Amino acid sequence: MSSPASGAAVDIGPLFHANPQPLLLVDLATWRILEVNDAGLLLYGFPRETLRQMRLAELWMPGAAPADLPERLDAPVDPDRIEQHRTRTDEPVWVSVAAHRVAVGDRDVALVSVQDLTQRVRAEEAARRSERFYRAIIENAFDGVSLIGADLKVREVGEMAARTLGFRAPELEARDRRDLIHPNDRRVFADAVDRLRGRPGERESVTYRTRDAKGRWHWLEGTVTNLIEDPAIGAYVLNYHDVTARVRASEEVAHLNAQLERRLQHLQALRRIDMAITNAIDVGLALDIFLEQVQADLQVEAAGVLLYDPHAQTLEPAAARGFETPLAKGRVRLGEGLAGHAALEQRTVHVPDLRSDERDGAVVDVADQAGYVAYWAVPMLTKGQLQGVIELYARRPLVPDAEWFEFLETFADQGAIAVESAQLFRSLERSNVDLQLAYDRTIEGWAYALDLKDEETAGHSKRVTALTVRMAQRLGMDAKELVHVQRGALLHDIGKMGVPDSILLKRGSLTDAEFAEMQRHTVYAYELLSPIDFLRPALEIPYAHHEKWDGSGYPRGLRGEQIPLAARIFAIVDVYDALTSDRPYRAAWDRETTLAYIQEQAGSHFDPRLVEAFMAMVRADA
């Protein structure tokens, strides 16, 4: 090597320039850069002549140049010391610097080797950001996030998720997840994990119960994802949210549906009894129909009626069903036997087991009562006046609920009406009013149950009903038609009772098959309501409110005035209420935007004449 003059270029030779690591040759007196190899040029981006005019400290980012450069000569490299050098574009690079004293000819210089750590630093920073990101998700997610090891023990759990169950995160870590799961659901969880073994990256849905810190059970719904083979995670990732409120609401809805169905059957039975009382000239025929409904609705094997003779102060068997023998021929005095006590005291008499009671029923002979266990004698009263006694016989122990007793009392009242033929007109008039109210309450309750089932449309049925009736009134419908419009509007989505909850309550888009099933709710409404005489006139809206003016609707593809007027009115009101109501997936539209949309759909979706009338009504209310 030749000896360089101060500030002159230094000829080091091909090995220096060919070295793949950035190298700098620095004058020890001035710390000016004398030479740089090709790797150094590539790292810093400066021309070679520019670097030869720079001091070594100028390679550090502004304000970061170290004051201890002389002390670093021949010092051991500190692996933790990572510094930022600048480049021609001012884009920083992270480096580790080592300086060693060498002789070039008769001159001592410093050979500075630079290790480019930029990619490593950025990768480490990315890893730290990723860790902070996922840590933030785990710690702050409203839904639960847990990492489960291959042994199914909790490896990590978010504090917030743990807190929702009343635990602190350390209390759950290292515990077997199955210990917290309801015994009946442990197989569900274990099977989901078993199905994932050997399927990296795939997930399984799970729904199960888990207990909180106080021992209460919560319903959880979520997914288990197999990331066991992911080196960054190495666990099953359990994502879940608490659906206890939804499950309990669904159970309540199911209970309400069952209750409503029973009440509807009961109302139909009462309706048939009413028709029998109204049309039957013979009281015996009316009583036969009455007992048929009593026996079926109250689920007893046999029933009978004894009529009260106020002159003789006795009860006489008048009708019976379910027995294999004819009526008893004798009369029963008030206070005698079970039926006589019920009549005298005007209260229901119940015997849980006739076989262990000395008293007997009276509608058939005692010898023909063998095999019957539970018994009731119920007085039939109208305005406090005794009309007779109903006897009920069951072949099994029967523990009825409050609803059963309510039905029993109602039947007793209806039976008294059937007997009280002299005052039939007034009694039926009052009964029909009561039934009408009961029908309407049942319909309103059904609509409420549907709103409760679908949390996104709470209150929708009442709003669209009120607006539809107002619109129908403006169009000149009479009071009788308005009753059917009101019922039809309340029951417009009754067919959704037939749609599976997995489709009806699904979050996110429906598949084509699921959407086709959802469209069948109009057909289900028809099948459900058409057998009910008093609701048949109200079917127009539930069956046809998804038909469109241009014939592109469903279920029958009706067009124009083929669509019933009530359904055409309701179609506009339904869309208006849906668009002006907040939904989880969008905010409510304002009135003018909604009206503009409805106007745009006139002639395709809606009857143009009705659109004009609707807009006039809405704007008149403004």
Side-chain angles (χ1 to χ4, degrees):
M1 292 184 185
S2 60
S3 176
S6 177
V10 178
D11 182 12
I12 303 303
L15 292 178
F16 175 83
H17 289 288
N19 197 303
Q21 184 170 341
L23 297 176
L24 301 167
L25 201 62
V26 179
D27 184 81
L28 285 176
T30 62
W31 289 93
R32 182 179 300 279
I33 299 172
L34 300 174
E35 189 58 272
V36 58
N37 70 350
D38 293 342
L41 294 176
L42 184 63
L43 174 64
Y44 294 109
F46 293 104
R48 189 182 304 274
E49 290 305 319
T50 301
L51 281 171
R52 286 173 176 172
Q53 300 302 316
M54 296 172 60
R55 296 182 183 278
L56 181 61
E58 294 178 56
L59 290 179
W60 270 260
M61 290 296 290
D68 59 347
L69 285 175
E71 297 175 8
R72 294 204 201 177
L73 280 172
D74 300 319
V77 177
D78 184 355
D80 295 327
R81 185 163 187 165
I82 300 175
E83 300 170 280
Q84 275 190 324
H85 279 191
R86 66 189 184 93
T87 63
R88 183 180 184 184
T89 61
D90 289 328
E91 183 77 15
V93 291
W94 284 263
V95 298
S96 175
V97 177
H100 296 279
R101 189 188 307 270
V102 296
V104 177
D106 59 354
R107 183 176 181 181
D108 286 339
V109 295
L111 180 64
V112 179
S113 62
V114 182
Q115 184 177 4
D116 185 0
L117 302 176
T118 304
Q119 288 188 353
R120 193 190 85 184
V121 169
R122 288 175 177 168
E124 290 174 352
E125 178 58 28
R128 285 192 293 272
R129 284 198 304 269
S130 177
E131 183 178 356
R132 288 195 298 270
F133 174 72
Y134 287 110
R135 171 66 58 186
I137 290 177
I138 292 177
E139 292 298 330
N140 299 291
F142 285 103
D143 288 349
V145 180
S146 300
L147 300 183
I148 311 296
D151 57 359
L152 297 187
K153 291 185 179 180
V154 179
R155 202 181 76 194
E156 194 167 345
V157 62
E159 186 63 43
M160 186 172 293
R163 198 156 53 240
T164 60
L165 295 176
F167 293 101
R168 299 288 298 171
E171 295 179 285
L172 294 178
E173 293 172 2
R175 291 187 62 170
D176 191 318
R177 182 76 195 185
R178 293 168 295 186
D179 291 344
L180 301 172
I181 298 176
H182 192 285
N184 294 342
D185 298 338
R186 288 173 185 167
R187 190 69 260 168
V188 172
F189 187 84
D191 287 348
V193 174
D194 288 342
R195 288 193 297 271
L196 287 171
R197 296 187 192 279
R199 296 164 54 197
E202 296 192 29
R203 68 185 57 185
E204 288 280 342
S205 297
V206 288
T207 301
Y208 59 94
R209 285 162 290 181
T210 189
R211 59 181 174 83
D212 62 17
K214 295 183 178 180
R216 297 170 301 193
W217 293 107
H218 294 247
W219 278 99
L220 301 182
E221 180 181 78
T223 59
V224 182
T225 305
N226 182 358
L227 297 181
I228 288 288
E229 297 181 14
D230 187 322
I233 298 175
Y236 292 102
V237 179
L238 174 63
N239 293 276
Y240 58 88
H241 55 279
D242 193 327
V243 294
T244 305
R246 193 185 79 195
V247 170
R248 289 175 180 167
S250 296
E251 291 172 348
E252 178 64 18
V253 167
H255 173 72
L256 284 173
N257 285 341
Q259 190 178 58
L260 286 170
E261 185 174 352
R262 288 196 302 272
R263 286 188 173 276
L264 187 59
Q265 292 171 350
H266 175 61
L267 290 172
Q268 289 177 294
L270 294 180
R271 180 67 173 171
R272 284 190 284 271
I273 292 171
D274 276 349
M275 295 297 295
I277 294 171
T278 301
N279 299 322
I281 300 175
D282 180 19
V283 173
L285 178 59
L287 287 178
D288 282 341
I289 297 173
F290 167 76
L291 288 176
E292 178 184 0
Q293 299 304 317
V294 167
Q295 185 182 2
D297 212 33
L298 298 180
Q299 298 182 344
V300 293
E301 283 73 25
V305 172
L306 299 100
L307 297 182
Y308 175 57
D309 182 346
H311 301 292
Q313 297 282 291
T314 58
L315 298 168
E316 182 176 0
R321 281 184 64 85
F323 298 101
E324 297 179 358
T325 56
L327 298 172
K329 297 180 180 179
R331 290 173 171 259
V332 178
R333 294 184 179 279
L334 296 187
E336 290 183 356
L338 296 169
H341 274 89
L344 179 64
E345 299 172 13
Q346 295 192 0
R347 66 175 181 83
T348 298
V349 173
H350 173 219
V351 177
D353 191 346
L354 280 171
R355 297 167 299 185
S356 60
D357 197 292
E358 295 180 356
R359 299 170 296 176
D360 303 299
V363 74
V364 295
D365 290 333
V366 174
D368 299 316
Q369 296 177 29
Y372 293 103
V373 179
Y375 169 91
W376 287 265
V378 187
M380 298 187 296
L381 305 170
T382 58
K383 298 178 183 178
Q385 299 298 312
L386 180 66
Q387 302 298 327
V389 172
I390 305 171
E391 286 191 332
L392 306 177
Y393 295 80
R395 294 189 182 277
R396 67 202 184 287
L398 192 60
V399 183
D401 56 18
E403 188 177 57
W404 188 93
F405 282 108
E406 180 185 342
F407 290 173
L408 175 59
E409 291 175 3
T410 306
F411 280 128
D413 292 341
Q414 290 295 97
I417 293 172
V419 174
E420 195 183 25
S421 57
Q423 301 171 346
L424 183 60
F425 178 78
R426 289 186 180 179
S427 296
L428 281 178
E429 185 178 51
R430 184 182 69 250
S431 177
N432 283 335
V433 170
D434 291 341
L435 282 175
Q436 189 67 43
L437 292 174
Y439 296 154
D440 290 340
R441 283 195 298 269
T442 298
I443 293 169
E444 290 173 1
W446 214 329
Y448 171 74
L450 287 169
D451 278 353
L452 180 63
K453 187 172 187 177
D454 189 354
E455 60 187 22
E456 293 185 3
T457 60
H460 170 71
S461 295
K462 284 190 175 182
R463 294 194 302 272
V464 295
T465 298
L467 200 53
T468 301
V469 170
R470 283 180 54 212
M471 180 75 172
Q473 284 176 316
R474 286 175 65 96
L475 295 174
M477 286 193 183
D478 61 30
K480 184 177 180 181
E481 291 174 308
L482 289 175
V483 170
H484 300 313
V485 168
Q486 180 182 26
R487 290 173 178 168
L490 278 171
L491 294 176
H492 71 278
D493 275 342
I494 192 68
K496 288 183 178 179
M497 292 180 65
V499 178
D501 283 356
S502 60
I503 297 176
L504 187 62
L505 302 178
K506 181 177 179 180
R507 297 182 181 274
S509 301
L510 299 179
T511 65
D512 290 345
E514 289 170 339
F515 186 71
E517 176 62 20
M518 179 67 81
Q519 287 184 320
R520 285 189 56 80
H521 79 273
T522 55
V523 177
Y524 293 150
Y526 178 84
E527 294 171 349
L528 177 66
L529 300 179
S530 58
I532 304 171
D533 294 341
F534 86 97
L535 288 179
R536 195 172 295 124
L539 262 174
E540 291 180 347
I541 292 176
Y543 194 27
H545 70 285
H546 282 293
E547 302 287 359
K548 294 185 178 181
W549 183 256
D550 62 4
S552 63
Y554 64 88
R556 292 174 289 169
L558 303 179
R559 69 169 58 242
E561 294 188 355
Q562 291 177 333
I563 307 170
L565 176 60
R568 281 181 275 148
I569 294 171
F570 183 85
I572 299 173
V573 172
D574 191 32
V575 170
Y576 179 81
D577 183 81
L579 293 178
T580 54
S581 300
D582 285 325
R583 295 293 167 84
Y585 48 85
R586 63 157 175 80
W589 291 12
D590 61 62
R591 185 190 64 186
E592 289 305 318
T593 302
T594 304
L595 291 179
Y597 174 81
I598 290 175
Q599 179 73 58
E600 181 182 313
Q601 295 296 310
S604 57
H605 190 161
F606 309 121
D607 181 340
R609 181 179 64 88
L610 294 183
V611 167
E612 293 179 6
F614 178 78
M615 294 180 72
M617 179 184 74
V618 172
R619 288 190 167 127
D621 292 342

